Amino acid sequence: AAIMTLQFTDGFDSYAATSDLLKKYTTNSNWTWNATAGRNGGGAIQSVTLTSAMRTFSLAVSAAALNGCFWFKATLKPNAVVGIVQIVSASTTLGYFGLNTSGFVNHFNSSAVSIATGSLNVCDGNWHWIEFTGVWQNGAATQQATVDGVTQYSTSANTNTTGPPLTV
């Protein structure tokens, strides 16, 4: 049986400035750190606008499977698709997890084309607990997401359409 390990975690409570985000992420375009914006009053990242396509935090991965979870709050729907997390391996974009223009969670392939879409608008001004999991590879693989414990989608799709397959 495979053993899963925690590869990365971030509570945003150790930062003192927006520039600190670049210590863990390869880009922080359009995102800033705020000392009191978090779900429980502590530090969090925030975006003042969700209007630019694919504004992401890039995470480099060493294995095909990647799971993520976070609290999320937005008051406006984006006017273009927004990638919140960009999955990268060896400088190859494997895919994105983010939002579509209806405010639904979405998995996007490496060409930023939607491969799975949720059905709950998370851009309603309320806090939502979002979880996603996926196998980010050039070949059919499972992609899943839940919002507040409710399954939004579970599908099998090829996420990496622009580069070589991720070798594990």
Side-chain angles (χ1 to χ4, degrees):
I3 298 174
M4 295 178 56
T5 60
L6 180 63
Q7 291 185 330
F8 177 81
T9 186
D10 195 349
F12 300 104
D13 53 358
S14 62
Y15 299 114
T18 297
S19 60
D20 289 343
L21 297 172
L22 296 176
K23 294 176 181 176
K24 292 186 180 178
Y25 301 93
T26 57
T27 181
N28 67 332
S29 181
N30 206 41
W31 295 91
T32 60
W33 177 82
N34 182 306
T36 60
R39 171 72 170 95
N40 297 307
I45 56 171
Q46 65 182 19
S47 175
V48 295
T49 180
L50 287 176
T51 59
S52 300
M54 292 302 170
R55 297 295 186 185
T56 61
F57 277 90
S58 296
L59 292 177
V61 295
S62 59
L66 177 76
N67 308 313
C69 55
F70 52 91
W71 283 105
F72 181 83
K73 180 181 180 181
T75 56
L76 298 173
K77 296 176 189 173
N79 67 3
V81 296
V82 175
I84 296 172
V85 179
Q86 176 185 22
I87 314 305
V88 178
S89 176
S91 299
T92 298
T93 296
L94 304 178
Y96 304 87
F97 177 79
L99 301 172
N100 67 13
T101 57
S102 296
F104 302 156
V105 294
N106 227 287
H107 264 84
F108 301 97
N109 68 18
S110 56
S111 299
V113 174
S114 176
I115 58 174
T117 303
S119 59
L120 178 69
N121 173 18
V122 297
C123 298
D124 60 359
N126 296 308
W127 284 100
H128 296 281
W129 180 249
I130 297 175
E131 299 176 66
F132 70 93
T133 184
V135 177
W136 307 83
Q137 66 184 19
N138 189 1
T142 301
Q143 312 295 323
Q144 297 175 319
T146 64
V147 174
D148 301 329
V150 178
T151 299
Q152 296 298 295
Y153 54 79
S154 182
T155 189
S156 182
N158 176 353
T159 60
N160 177 13
T161 61
T162 61
L166 174 65
T167 55
V168 181

